[in-house]
Amino acid sequence: MNNSLHHEGKEWILREEGWSEDLQNVRESQFALGNGYMAMRGILEEVPVGAQPGTYLSGIYDGMGSLVEELVNLPNPVNIRLVVEGEKLGVETMDVVEHSRVLNLKKAILSRRTVFRDRKGRHYDYRSLRFISMARENVGAFQVLLTPLDEGCIIDINTGIDTSVHNRETITEGKKVHFRIKDIAATRAINYLAVDTLEKRHTIIYWCGVYFLINGRKRTHKESFFSTRLEKGRPLVITKIFTLKHFPYMDDPSRAREETLKDFRKVFRTGFDYLLSEHIASWGTLWKEADILIDGDEETQRRLRFTLYHLLICAPRDRGFSSIGARTLTGEGYNGHVFWDTEIFLLPFYAFTLPPVAEGLLRYRYNRLGEARRLAREAGYRGAKFPWESAGKGTEETPHWARDLDRRIIDIHTHKREEHITCDIAYGVHRYYTITGDERFMEECGYELLVETARFWASRVVKTERGYEILKVMGPDEFHEEVNNNFFTNAMVRHNLILAWGAISRLKEKAPPFLEDLRKRLNLREGEEEEWKEIASSIVENRRKDGVIEQFDGYFDLRDVRIKGVDEKGMPLMPEGLKASDLPKTQLIKQPDCLMALYLLGDAFSRDEKAANYRYYFPRTMHRSSLSPSIHSLLANEMGDHKEAWRLFQMALNIDLDDIYGNTENGIHAANLGGVWQAVVMGFCGVRIREERLHIEPALPERWRKIRLVLKWRGHRLGLTVSRREVVIEKGPEEEGLEVWVFGKRRIIGSAGRHRFVNPRTQQDRRVR
């Protein structure tokens, strides 16, 4: 085991010092490994009592025995049971003299050292190293070294795949298993396992190969368990390489078994060291595209890299077979379901950094368009109505009810009322197209998504004396469950309708044959798009008071309660005398609602409008969602409230590292990952899209001297170095010229190389105070 692999600067290291049972499940989420196809929680290899092992494949769900489809927790190949003369080697069974773990973010390697003491006072040095290959999506591997420090011993070794795992226990349903063992076999050094999901939609095939170095001699064993004697000071080395691959359900997996065995033997012969080196090289390539370098703030750099690491390990590359759930692939929070988080919070990072991943996230929606059309029909509407919570099939997977902690049955209404998911997807389509200029995607998927979402809203609105209203909805603020004319929803629906109308108008001019074919395929009437434009122009405008937009009809009439203070983690405190059941009667809100619309649709609002609404809604926002702090940081920065922007950015940055919401054990908060990236790039670096043009106008914190990153923009790869005084753009060899607005001025970058633009307002102090 090569210790030099872990010698990185502190800004690349996440470290655990000492063993804490209370933090075990939080660490499992934080220390997770993955490659977008496969992910595993960062459990200890001996799987202590209370551990929550998690082995997940992106897009593999099952609903049998559950209220809804769930991300399937599959058998755990990272399972080593070592027993020294009847005493299990583990943190809960022996004394822990020393313990540390390191997640090397640069190389995506999880390493560990623990010194154990048994009941006889003998010491054992235990070390391990683990990775999920970024070079080969089906492959994972780990090594364990155990050295008796005081005297030799007899040790029992079990390296089998743990099939006793289950999906996490819930108040409603208890423990659940979503797979059954189909086939199992062993040859010398190699073990085989095939499992089916219970609904018989997927078959997953495992191959595991294990070899040992015992007292200096290499050995293999047919069985996964055996006994041996270790000499004092001579390490036992266990090397395990495994592959997982899923297939559509098969009655007879024999053919797939032979094919995967052939592939596995090549991998196994390749060897641990080579697999590790190519994995590290693949991560090196990824970091060249995704890293953000901060000059002047080592601790923020480290925490930001934790964010980027988790964005990279959950990124699927399967052209729409799967998407990213609300807790990535690091846990089973929200059953692994896909929300609006993906299109609104995560998509910008991937579109600007790894465009094929962003395209796949949108293809996930397109591939489930049939189900969205069915949901619309069942509700009495046209077009496509996307589910609030989506999983494998694209059906609505929101639980209709649940038990609260006091065991009361409570109804869940988000799937009936939080319909803004449909216009959020349309927004994501347009944002991806604006960033990438990917016309092929639009022709294959995008135009159809825009048309079908617009059709839904055209049938969903209600014509009244006021204009077109949208009744009985829930906006992002989930404290107020059924309202009329939620501003966020109305504004995003208007945007959706205009986007679809504009797309058809452009096709009339630029691609009439394609438009004709689209009309036939979708039965799109001549002039139907003009109806969308007319509806958009007449959607009800919310009441205003001193420039403040009313969040929904009657909001200003609710009890006006302000937040008076925050706790030690920066979370607003519940006002004295107020209970959770009182919140719907107040103007307190869960997360940005009006402000979310002002951020996403920034072109439509003046700075004065944004400022008035920021001043009004900020002291009424409880931040009871992880989606909230990053967006408020962005808006605070834009409003010149730099101190608050920094405070909220730090809160967002630490949500999972410090377990601010107390539920990181259920997985890393996906939307917050994307929100943190946006707070850095769109907020502090000032990279914004205005009128479909790229603008850069930095507002860096005082402690940051400069920041460097790479962005993709319409086929160009741009290296940016941003400071308060200047912006340097390094353009690649692409022949076409590039229009960029820097410090408010239009610039045309024609040639490859470095282009420097000085801030004309350098003399003005725009530093964070």
Side-chain angles (χ1 to χ4, degrees):
M1 191 176 294
N2 187 350
N3 290 326
S4 67
L5 291 170
H6 319 308
H7 293 165
E8 307 289 351
K10 292 180 181 179
E11 71 275 10
W12 285 108
I13 296 299
L14 183 66
R15 185 179 297 275
E16 173 187 70
E17 291 292 349
W19 159 249
S20 169
E21 184 178 2
D22 292 341
L23 291 174
Q24 178 177 200
N25 300 144
V26 172
R27 297 284 185 253
E28 290 166 354
S29 295
Q30 294 169 338
F31 284 72
L33 300 169
N35 59 17
Y37 174 74
M38 169 171 49
M40 293 183 182
R41 286 170 61 80
I43 57 167
L44 300 179
E45 293 86 5
E46 67 267 32
V47 191
V49 172
Q52 295 178 0
T55 302
Y56 311 110
L57 296 183
S58 188
I60 303 301
Y61 295 89
D62 183 81
M64 187 169 287
S66 303
L67 287 173
V68 292
E69 278 192 354
E70 295 183 307
L71 187 66
V72 177
N73 189 3
L74 292 161
N76 170 32
V78 179
N79 176 49
I80 295 286
R81 183 179 176 87
L82 303 175
V83 179
V84 181
E85 297 172 8
E87 194 171 352
K88 181 187 174 187
L89 195 91
V91 292
E92 87 279 23
T93 52
M94 286 187 177
D95 293 334
V96 177
V97 180
E98 298 177 33
H99 175 80
S100 65
R101 280 197 297 174
V102 169
L103 176 61
N104 183 321
L105 301 167
K106 185 176 184 179
K107 296 170 180 170
I109 297 168
L110 179 60
S111 60
R112 169 189 179 186
R113 180 173 186 248
T114 307
V115 177
F116 294 106
R117 182 174 57 230
D118 68 13
R119 59 188 174 83
K120 294 181 179 180
R122 297 175 298 187
H123 295 81
Y124 306 88
D125 186 302
Y126 179 99
R127 302 178 188 228
S128 67
L129 183 149
R130 187 188 318 167
F131 67 95
I132 302 296
S133 176
M134 189 56 81
R136 309 184 189 214
E137 69 175 11
N138 305 104
V139 176
F142 66 97
Q143 280 189 336
V144 167
L145 279 77
L146 178 67
T147 306
L149 299 179
D150 300 317
E151 60 182 68
C153 64
I154 300 294
I155 186 165
D156 300 330
I157 303 168
N158 187 342
T159 63
I161 300 170
D162 181 10
T163 58
S164 67
V165 300
H166 54 80
N167 276 66
R168 70 187 180 102
E169 187 171 0
T170 65
I171 294 174
T172 309
E173 299 167 309
K175 296 178 181 178
K176 293 152 287 181
V177 175
H178 284 292
F179 63 86
R180 66 178 183 89
I181 298 173
K182 189 184 194 80
D183 195 11
I184 191 166
T187 61
R188 190 165 188 84
I190 297 178
N191 294 298
Y192 161 76
L193 173 69
V195 300
D196 292 332
T197 54
L198 296 184
E199 291 181 321
K200 296 186 176 181
R201 288 169 50 208
H202 307 286
T203 297
I204 298 95
I205 292 180
Y206 286 69
W207 287 101
C208 291
V210 186
Y211 57 88
F212 307 87
L213 190 69
I214 302 174
N215 299 322
R217 297 178 58 190
K218 186 174 180 180
R219 295 171 56 181
T220 59
H221 284 268
K222 180 177 180 179
E223 301 291 344
S224 60
F225 51 88
F226 65 97
S227 293
T228 191
R229 178 171 180 80
L230 301 182
E231 299 174 8
K232 174 185 173 180
R234 300 291 296 275
L236 161 71
V237 183
I238 304 171
T239 301
K240 189 171 188 178
I241 298 171
F242 54 88
T243 60
L244 280 74
K245 189 171 183 179
H246 81 274
F247 299 86
Y249 171 78
M250 295 177 287
D251 285 322
D252 179 10
S254 57
R255 182 174 177 181
R257 172 178 170 170
E258 292 305 313
E259 290 176 356
T260 52
L261 174 58
K262 183 178 178 181
D263 293 339
F264 175 75
R265 281 178 170 154
K266 291 179 182 176
V267 170
F268 198 43
R269 286 195 297 267
T270 296
F272 184 89
D273 290 344
Y274 185 84
L275 292 172
L276 180 57
S277 65
E278 67 177 12
H279 161 74
I280 292 171
S282 293
W283 269 94
T285 300
L286 262 183
W287 281 117
K288 287 179 182 177
E289 304 305 309
D291 197 14
I292 297 177
L293 296 166
I294 300 172
D295 185 356
D297 191 345
E298 185 180 87
E299 181 57 20
T300 296
Q301 175 75 83
R302 184 179 72 89
R303 291 175 177 255
L304 178 58
R305 282 193 172 131
F306 172 83
T307 297
L308 297 170
Y309 167 84
H310 275 281
L311 283 165
L312 293 172
I313 69 169
C314 72
R317 295 162 176 83
D318 53 24
R319 287 183 61 80
F321 173 77
S322 68
S323 186
I324 301 173
R327 295 303 186 91
T328 67
L329 280 178
T330 58
E332 296 162 36
Y334 295 106
N335 306 104
H337 292 170
V338 180
F339 291 74
W340 71 310
D341 309 24
T342 308
E343 286 76 22
I344 299 300
F345 290 85
L346 293 168
L347 190 100
F349 166 74
Y350 297 114
F352 271 119
T353 306
L354 301 167
V357 174
E359 180 188 358
L361 298 178
L362 294 172
R363 283 186 181 273
Y364 167 85
R365 298 295 190 180
Y366 180 78
N367 292 345
R368 290 151 183 81
L369 192 53
E371 281 297 332
R373 289 182 174 117
R374 184 185 62 79
L375 283 173
R377 287 196 304 272
E378 288 180 353
Y381 304 117
R382 300 182 66 216
K385 176 183 184 291
F386 283 92
W388 177 241
E389 298 186 31
S390 181
K393 294 178 286 191
T395 51
E396 178 60 76
E397 297 295 342
T398 307
H400 292 198
W401 60 274
R403 286 193 185 275
D404 209 345
L405 292 177
D406 62 3
R407 302 200 62 77
R408 291 183 305 117
I409 293 178
I410 58 173
D411 292 327
I412 297 175
H413 302 293
T414 49
H415 63 293
K416 296 178 181 177
R417 298 169 186 162
E418 209 152 353
E419 294 176 312
H420 64 78
I421 178 68
T422 296
C423 44
D424 299 335
I425 291 169
Y427 181 94
V429 168
H430 181 251
R431 183 50 44 108
Y432 169 78
Y433 181 48
T434 301
I435 295 169
T436 65
D438 187 350
E439 191 63 45
R440 178 185 55 81
F441 165 78
M442 292 301 295
E443 292 179 357
E444 294 178 4
C445 310
Y447 291 120
E448 192 168 344
L449 285 166
L450 291 179
V451 166
E452 292 297 75
T453 52
R455 280 176 151 172
F456 168 72
W457 290 115
S459 61
R460 174 67 175 86
V461 297
V462 177
K463 183 72 184 309
T464 71
E465 293 179 356
R466 295 176 64 190
Y468 289 98
E469 299 190 65
I470 306 176
L471 309 177
K472 296 184 178 181
V473 296
M474 186 189 304
D477 167 27
E478 294 168 342
F479 285 171
H480 301 91
E481 291 193 345
E482 184 177 289
V483 302
N484 295 333
N485 296 312
N486 166 250
F487 174 70
F488 175 87
T489 304
N490 283 24
M492 291 290 281
V493 168
R494 181 185 297 110
H495 186 65
N496 190 165
L497 293 167
I498 290 297
L499 286 178
W501 169 79
I504 298 300
S505 299
R506 286 194 304 275
L507 289 173
K508 284 180 183 178
E509 180 182 345
K510 296 183 177 180
F514 174 81
L515 177 58
E516 184 62 27
D517 177 66
L518 186 70
R519 286 193 187 278
K520 289 178 181 178
R521 282 192 290 116
L522 303 184
N523 193 25
L524 181 63
R525 294 181 286 104
E526 284 285 348
E528 189 173 342
E529 64 273 14
E530 297 302 324
E531 296 173 12
W532 306 337
K533 184 182 179 184
E534 193 275 326
I535 292 170
S537 67
S538 302
I539 286 179
V540 165
E541 290 279 355
N542 291 54
R543 183 169 51 140
R544 304 197 178 209
K545 182 171 69 176
D546 299 327
V548 178
I549 305 166
E550 188 173 37
Q551 184 172 295
F552 53 80
D553 289 352
Y555 173 82
F556 287 149
D557 301 326
L558 297 174
R559 180 183 168 192
D560 191 6
V561 180
R562 312 289 178 88
I563 295 164
K564 301 299 184 182
V566 298
D567 64 17
E568 67 279 2
K569 293 183 177 180
M571 189 72 69
L573 295 169
M574 184 77 80
E576 191 174 347
L578 204 64
K579 298 179 294 185
S581 58
D582 298 325
L583 291 171
K585 304 169 188 174
T586 74
Q587 291 188 22
L588 292 174
I589 61 177
K590 180 180 179 181
Q591 63 195 77
D593 196 301
C594 280
L595 295 183
M596 193 74 202
L598 268 58
Y599 166 58
L600 295 178
L601 305 174
D603 287 352
F605 305 97
S606 69
R607 193 179 189 286
D608 288 345
E609 287 177 306
K610 293 177 184 178
N613 284 274
Y614 172 78
R615 288 192 299 269
Y616 189 87
Y617 284 107
F618 183 80
R620 294 167 174 83
T621 304
M622 294 291 290
H623 298 301
R624 287 303 188 266
S625 166
S626 62
L627 285 64
S628 187
S630 58
I631 299 304
H632 277 92
S633 173
L634 275 156
L635 286 163
N637 209 31
E638 187 176 351
M639 295 302 103
D641 190 355
H642 299 304
K643 183 177 179 180
E644 199 59 40
W646 179 254
R647 184 186 75 82
L648 288 163
F649 168 67
Q650 289 294 319
M651 182 179 174
L653 195 65
N654 298 328
I655 277 175
D656 285 309
L657 281 166
D658 294 343
D659 194 18
I660 286 177
Y661 285 91
N663 56 17
T664 295
E665 66 181 57
N666 298 326
I668 298 297
H669 294 79
N672 181 62
L673 299 175
V676 166
W677 184 87
Q678 291 187 52
V680 172
V681 177
M682 279 74 169
F684 297 127
C685 292
V687 176
R688 291 294 185 93
I689 299 172
R690 298 194 178 107
E691 296 179 346
E692 303 192 2
R693 299 183 180 95
L694 186 65
H695 287 248
I696 306 172
E697 192 156 358
L700 295 189
E702 183 178 31
R703 67 192 71 194
W704 295 1
R705 289 186 287 270
K706 59 185 173 183
I707 187 166
R708 297 190 295 276
L709 67 154
V710 172
L711 296 180
K712 310 293 182 5
W713 176 258
R714 297 180 183 174
H716 296 268
R717 184 182 186 275
L718 305 178
L720 301 185
T721 302
V722 174
S723 69
R724 283 176 292 280
R725 292 181 174 273
E726 65 180 21
V727 170
V728 177
I729 302 177
E730 188 168 354
K731 181 179 175 292
E734 302 86 6
E735 293 183 3
E736 316 89 66
L738 177 68
E739 179 191 64
V740 184
W741 290 69
V742 186
F743 296 119
K745 291 187 177 182
R746 182 173 180 263
R747 319 283 187 168
I748 300 295
I749 303 173
S751 59
R754 292 170 61 85
H755 303 265
R756 180 172 174 263
F757 305 100
V758 177
N759 185 353
R761 298 186 296 276
T762 299
Q763 302 306 313
Q764 297 180 19
D765 184 6
R766 300 176 68 239
R767 298 175 300 173
V768 175
R769 293 182 172 84

